[in-house]
Amino acid sequence: TFVERGAREAAITVIPIGIDLAHFHAVPRTDDVFRVLAVASIDPRKGMVYLLRAFAQAALPGAELVIIGGTGDRWSRALMADYRTRHPNIRVEAMDVAATPVTRHYGRASVVVHPALEDGFGLVIPQALACGRPVIATRQSGASEHIRDGDTGFVIEARDVDALVDRLRWCHAHPQDCAEMGARGPASVAHLSERAH
């Protein structure tokens, strides 16, 4: 976006944020529930309303959506209350993913979604990739550059509910391909080890 607005590319240095690869590592799934996971605060900037719309529209049999994050304003609380009333397969949990074992968060996911409208980086993306989970993220999330579109996840435009529905349905319909996509994730972020920084 800096280059798009006229900054010289040679004047820009990208310094990626390191992640704790001793903590965020691949673990096997312990069940076969198709589980969509989002790890983010529930607020307009993180684009959660678009994930809620897409999940509801996708109508995936036997699926659940788990959101690890809190609501900080009245609008977000009302939004979540409305969706959770109409969709009992949507849950919200409070958890520190950096302190809680991977088996209790990313390890339970079939796919991780980061639908942010804008996010300078978005640690959830490399964390999920390191845990062997495919990621669907918006191009407006800085860390989406670590996703190989169609190989370790999918990169879509912010607010594109139809694209998100399409990717969720693909992952649901192709569980083996989805799992193989996730298995390629750890190698793609191995260079982000905190020890290398």
Side-chain angles (χ1 to χ4, degrees), residues 172-183:
H172 184 266
H174 301 88
Q176 185 60 41
D177 292 330
C178 187
E180 290 172 4
M181 183 178 274

Side-chain angles (χ1 to χ4, degrees), residues 17-101:
I17 299 173
I19 57 174
D20 181 0
L21 294 179
H23 179 75
F24 296 103
H25 60 278
V27 294
R29 293 282 311 278
T30 57
D31 64 31
D32 59 359
V33 174
F34 183 79
R35 189 173 292 112
V36 179
L37 175 68
V39 180
S41 56
I42 302 165
D43 62 45
R45 186 176 73 88
K46 295 294 186 176
M48 298 306 288
V49 65
Y50 301 102
L51 173 56
L52 290 165
R53 289 177 186 168
F55 184 76
Q57 186 177 322
L60 307 169
E64 65 180 32
L65 168 61
V66 176
I67 300 170
I68 297 176
T71 56
D73 59 74
R74 186 182 312 161
W75 178 84
S76 298
R77 287 192 295 274
L79 173 76
M80 287 310 307
D82 175 52
Y83 271 91
R84 291 177 71 195
T85 297
R86 292 185 289 123
H87 303 280
N89 57 342
I90 296 176
R91 293 200 327 270
V92 178
E93 300 178 359
M95 188 183 304
D96 178 357
V97 297
T100 307

Side-chain angles (χ1 to χ4, degrees), residues 95-162:
M95 188 183 304
D96 178 357
V97 297
T100 307
V102 168
T103 52
R104 291 183 49 203
H105 44 83
Y106 294 118
R108 294 183 299 155
S110 304
V111 61
V112 176
V113 179
H114 192 65
L117 303 186
E118 64 87 18
D119 198 333
F121 189 70
L123 273 172
V124 61
I125 294 171
Q127 288 172 352
L129 291 169
C131 292
R133 299 306 183 260
V135 181
I136 303 170
T138 59
R139 186 182 65 82
Q140 291 73 15
S141 302
S144 66
E145 67 186 23
H146 295 293
I147 299 170
R148 295 191 304 263
D149 189 46
D151 185 55
T152 59
F154 299 105
V155 179
I156 62 173
E157 292 297 319
R159 299 183 177 93
D160 192 340
V161 173
D162 290 340

